[in-house]
Amino acid sequence: MAASRGVSIRTRLTVLSVLATLAPVGVALGFVAERDLRDIRSEMMTSSTLIGYVIAEYSASAMAFDDRRDAQRTLDGLTRDENVIAAGLYDTGGRRFAAYERRAPRQPSTLPPVITAAASMLPAVMEGEHVIVTQPVVSHGTRYGTLLVIVSTEHLRSRIHGYLLSMALLGLGALAAAGALALMLERMVSRPLLALADVARRIAQTEDYSVRASGVSHDEIGLLAGAFNRMLTEIDGRQRQAQQAIRVRDDFLSIASHELKTPLTSLKLQVQGLLMMPPESLSHDDAARFKQTLDVVDRQIVRLDKLIGNLLDVSRIAAGRLVLDPAETDLSSLVHEVTRQFEPQLQRCKCSLESRIEGSVTGFWDAPRIDQVVTNLLANAIKYGGGKPIELSVDSTPERARLVVRDHGIGISAEDQKRIFGRFERAASLSYGGLGLGLFISSQIVRAHGGTIRVESTLAVGSTFTVELPRKAQRGAAT
Amino acid sequence: MTAAEPRPWVLIVDDDEDIRDTIRSLLQLRGYIVDTAPDGRVGLERMRTAHPPALVILDYMMPGMNGEEFREAQLADPELARVPVVLLTGAGDVGSAAHVDIERMAKPIELQLLFDTVARYCTKGST
């Protein structure tokens, strides 16, 4: 049963058709042949016995009067029965009295020159290709000798050959019929199934759910194809709905981004305009206060902008739409630029930054996104660094670029280290502020680049974040 | 610059009145000649009635004719096709403006970046 699982429907149908056609025909023919051959055999035995009886009757007087010529004449009468090959009359001593033989000139005699008494006692028997009849020759109660008749079974054998030939022809016919039947069944069953499988395979390859199984018949396979097509219609519909939902969500993200950033734009420009070109009427003290106030407003705008950016990024990541726009990027100069932007903040919190940055570490990355990662790690190091020195390094191997940011601040417990890269997760207490999105977004950006981000940390000792980015795409682009 | 040469000017196309007016007043304070349009259609009209501007600052998402459609119409007009355009985008709009292959400034704009960008394309109107 298990072995038959690997056999195709086509082969199974052919085998079944051959068996179904051949078996009844073979059995019927065998039955008829057996009956017929048994009848012929019994008929031959009867007729041979009868011939023996008649010839023995006719030969009795010739033997009684020792008239060999008359006995020979009687035996020669057997010429008319072509089945009789030979016949011999033997006297009571077993010596041949007269003989008749139908044979070609050089063919050896089938008739024994003498017979034993035992042989003469046997009835008609079939021996090899002959029926041998032994009949006592008796007249008025006196036995004068024995008649031996040899009858050919050629007739029976040719009938058997005929049957065998018929059976072979029938077998061939049955095979041809079975082949045709299998082909028909295959057209009916196997081909529509293969066509259905072909449609499924094409859909798997092209993801085009508008394809349908064609030529749906009204039989069971047609029902299957119909159900298959209905399922495709359903999937197609859902696929379109899903695509529509993605379009709606993308539009929403785009509009949300625009709507949230538009008020910030004029606010920021106005504030920066005032900072750059303050009213000339202000006294020196008022001008200083004016600048201080607007600096705070400007920082808060930047903060609000980053929060909006983070929320939109989280929506994009959740929707699987974090799209990278990679280009040849120098990580070293990018990190220099970020640290330069952090200078005022570092001064405010009075913490020093030690940088060890390789001259140039290029790769094929999305620069604004990598900027986001570096900014996030550095901002965290300042935020949780407790004013202690921060170390930052950039180095590389031919395959990878590595960024390490180390602080000596509050640290992260082993348990918290496992979850800080998750969405809305944060290890520090709520008093530190923030949405808990920075590391999540950073890790997603790094992962989207095919890189890794990891943390080593001890509570109250500090944390080290290591980002590794593959440079492969850059090498690929260079060749 | 000869006296006969028309004075270069900047066109701001944005549907948000506050942004339009803020950028205009800031650029004017810096000595630029500025005109504004509330949508792409009016923007194209302004470009055609006057001599072409030295720079167009174009918002991407606007009702009526958006930034992309404005750009298409502008490129189709040989008189206007050479005018440089800087696109204002909500930073990282999901791919929507990705195929408009021109310089862009992400909102909210840094004032210094705005001044630097305008200075690259446009000499000041007043001396």
Side-chain angles (χ1 to χ4, degrees):
Chain A
M1 201 61 197
S4 71
R5 276 184 201 155
V7 180
S8 72
I9 290 183
R10 186 181 188 162
T11 312
R12 286 193 227 178
L13 284 175
T14 310
V15 169
L16 279 176
S17 306
V18 169
L19 286 178
T21 320
L22 208 54
V25 171
V27 167
L29 190 70
F31 183 70
V32 169
E34 197 269 337
R35 287 279 300 266
D36 191 37
L37 292 175
R38 202 172 55 195
D39 286 354
I40 292 172
R41 188 190 148 110
S42 116
E43 214 173 89
M44 275 188 84
M45 295 301 257
T46 312
S47 66
S48 301
T49 311
L50 196 64
I51 288 168
Y53 180 77
V54 171
I55 298 297
E57 276 299 303
Y58 278 107
S59 312
S61 56
M63 282 200 89
F65 290 104
D66 199 24
D67 185 348
R68 284 175 189 262
R69 285 180 62 193
D70 190 33
Q72 189 61 50
R73 254 201 315 279
T74 304
L75 290 183
D76 285 347
L78 289 169
T79 318
R80 269 164 286 173
D81 189 339
E82 59 184 14
N83 286 325
V84 177
I85 298 170
L89 284 164
Y90 296 86
D91 60 22
T92 46
R95 286 176 300 274
R96 195 150 74 185
F97 182 72
Y100 158 79
E101 269 191 281
R102 179 197 297 277
R103 58 175 165 131
R106 274 185 296 278
Q107 208 178 337
S109 171
T110 43
L111 215 53
V114 289
I115 56 167
T116 59
S120 68
M121 295 310 289
L122 290 168
V125 287
M126 197 166 274
E127 257 185 47
E129 296 178 356
H130 306 125
V131 175
I132 296 164
V133 180
T134 38
Q135 182 69 39
V137 181
V138 180
S139 178
H140 302 290
T142 311
R143 181 169 181 165
Y144 294 103
T146 305
L147 171 70
L148 184 70
V149 183
I150 298 172
V151 182
S152 168
T153 56
E154 178 63 36
H155 181 52
L156 186 65
R157 277 182 285 126
S158 73
R159 191 63 84 92
I160 289 170
H161 288 152
Y163 276 119
L164 286 176
L165 187 68
S166 303
M167 278 182 103
L169 286 174
L170 263 168
L172 280 176
L175 271 178
L181 191 65
L183 202 69
M184 250 166 60
L185 286 171
E186 194 223 332
R187 282 222 175 115
M188 275 161 53
V189 180
S190 190
R191 281 200 196 168
L193 287 178
L194 287 176
L196 214 56
D198 191 49
V199 171
R201 188 179 47 75
R202 254 188 303 156
I203 290 169
Q205 277 170 356
T206 60
E207 288 189 13
D208 175 9
Y209 290 96
S210 64
V211 178
R212 295 286 177 276
S214 58
V216 176
S217 53
H218 296 288
D219 53 15
E220 289 87 338
I221 291 172
L223 280 177
L224 176 64
F228 185 71
N229 280 346
R230 278 194 297 283
M231 184 188 75
L232 286 179
T233 308
E234 182 77 9
I235 294 173
D236 198 19
R238 287 189 193 182
Q239 177 108 331
R240 277 169 213 272
Q241 275 174 10
Q243 279 164 352
Q244 175 64 18
I246 289 169
R247 263 196 300 277
V248 168
R249 193 184 49 209
D250 283 355
D251 286 351
F252 171 77
L253 283 175
S254 201
I255 291 165
S257 173
H258 182 266
E259 289 303 306
L260 292 168
K261 299 221 169 187
T262 296
L264 277 187
T265 301
S266 41
L267 198 59
K268 189 182 176 86
L269 285 173
Q270 294 281 13
V271 169
Q272 290 188 337
L274 283 171
L275 274 168
M276 211 178 272
M277 298 167 275
E280 286 163 7
S281 57
L282 291 174
S283 69
H284 185 267
D285 283 357
D286 283 347
R289 241 195 12 249
F290 180 82
K291 188 182 176 308
Q292 215 173 11
T293 309
L294 286 183
D295 274 338
V296 173
V297 175
D298 192 35
R299 278 205 303 277
Q300 294 307 312
I301 290 169
V302 171
R303 195 169 154 196
L304 198 54
D305 179 38
K306 289 218 164 108
L307 289 174
I308 291 168
N310 280 351
L311 282 175
L312 290 172
D313 279 348
V314 167
S315 309
R316 287 191 190 105
I317 291 163
R321 307 290 284 186
L322 182 72
V323 182
L324 296 182
D325 183 17
E328 175 97 18
T329 302
D330 183 356
L331 182 63
S332 300
S333 59
L334 188 148
V335 172
H336 276 304
E337 176 57 26
V338 173
T339 53
R340 198 187 56 76
Q341 285 168 9
F342 269 100
E343 271 163 18
Q345 211 177 326
L346 288 164
Q347 275 166 16
R348 273 200 303 277
C349 71
K350 294 184 180 64
C351 64
S352 64
L353 178 69
E354 269 177 51
S355 310
R356 275 183 295 118
I357 300 172
E358 255 182 38
S360 170
V361 178
T362 53
F364 201 67
W365 305 305
D366 184 329
R369 289 298 186 187
I370 298 299
D371 187 310
Q372 226 176 318
V373 175
V374 180
T375 302
N376 172 244
L377 293 181
L378 205 49
N380 279 351
I382 294 170
K383 190 171 170 184
Y384 302 113
K388 291 179 187 134
I390 294 165
E391 292 148 41
L392 188 152
S393 72
V394 173
D395 55 23
S396 65
T397 66
E399 281 78 34
R400 298 177 88 75
R402 188 172 60 168
L403 165 78
V404 181
V405 179
R406 172 176 293 139
D407 68 60
H408 300 281
I410 60 171
I412 307 162
S413 72
E415 201 173 301
D416 287 340
Q417 285 173 35
K418 290 176 200 154
R419 57 181 187 87
I420 51 167
F421 295 109
R423 203 185 334 181
F424 307 121
E425 295 287 2
R426 42 193 300 131
S429 74
L430 286 179
S431 60
Y432 276 90
L435 292 177
L437 292 174
L439 283 176
F440 170 66
I441 293 168
S442 292
S443 71
Q444 294 294 318
I445 290 171
V446 170
R447 193 189 292 179
H449 279 87
T452 57
I453 184 167
R454 62 176 193 275
V455 62
E456 291 151 67
S457 184
T458 310
L459 272 176
V461 173
S463 308
T464 305
F465 284 87
T466 306
V467 172
E468 288 194 331
L469 294 169
R471 305 168 71 185
K472 267 182 196 156
Q474 179 250 336
R475 284 196 306 164
T479 50
Chain B
M1 189 190 289
T2 60
E5 212 170 316
R7 286 158 39 140
W9 60 290
V10 179
L11 175 64
I12 299 157
V13 186
D14 198 315
D15 61 317
D16 189 281
E17 195 181 351
D18 283 344
I19 290 187
R20 259 190 343 252
D21 291 347
T22 305
I23 298 177
R24 175 169 52 189
S25 60
L26 287 167
L27 289 180
Q28 278 172 343
L29 274 171
R30 274 290 171 120
Y32 291 100
I33 300 168
V34 184
D35 198 357
T36 62
D39 62 53
R41 218 172 305 280
V42 179
L44 285 171
E45 276 170 29
R46 294 266 198 284
M47 287 174 88
R48 286 182 185 125
T49 50
H51 65 87
L55 174 68
V56 177
I57 294 172
L58 177 69
D59 188 24
Y60 179 77
M61 205 182 283
M62 288 181 292
M65 181 185 260
N66 70 19
E68 192 177 346
E69 289 156 351
F70 173 92
R71 183 74 177 151
E72 274 170 22
Q74 183 219 343
L75 291 175
D77 187 332
E79 291 285 310
L80 310 177
R82 278 184 302 158
V83 177
V85 174
V86 173
L87 196 66
L88 296 183
T89 58
D93 279 349
V94 186
S96 52
H99 54 284
V100 185
D101 187 24
I102 47 175
E103 186 174 339
R104 56 193 66 200
M105 277 191 289
K107 289 181 187 174
I109 315 159
E110 290 286 334
L111 184 58
Q112 195 54 56
L113 178 69
L114 176 71
F115 285 160
D116 292 348
T117 306
V118 174
R120 262 193 287 127
Y121 292 101
C122 189
T123 48
K124 286 174 189 177
S126 57
T127 50

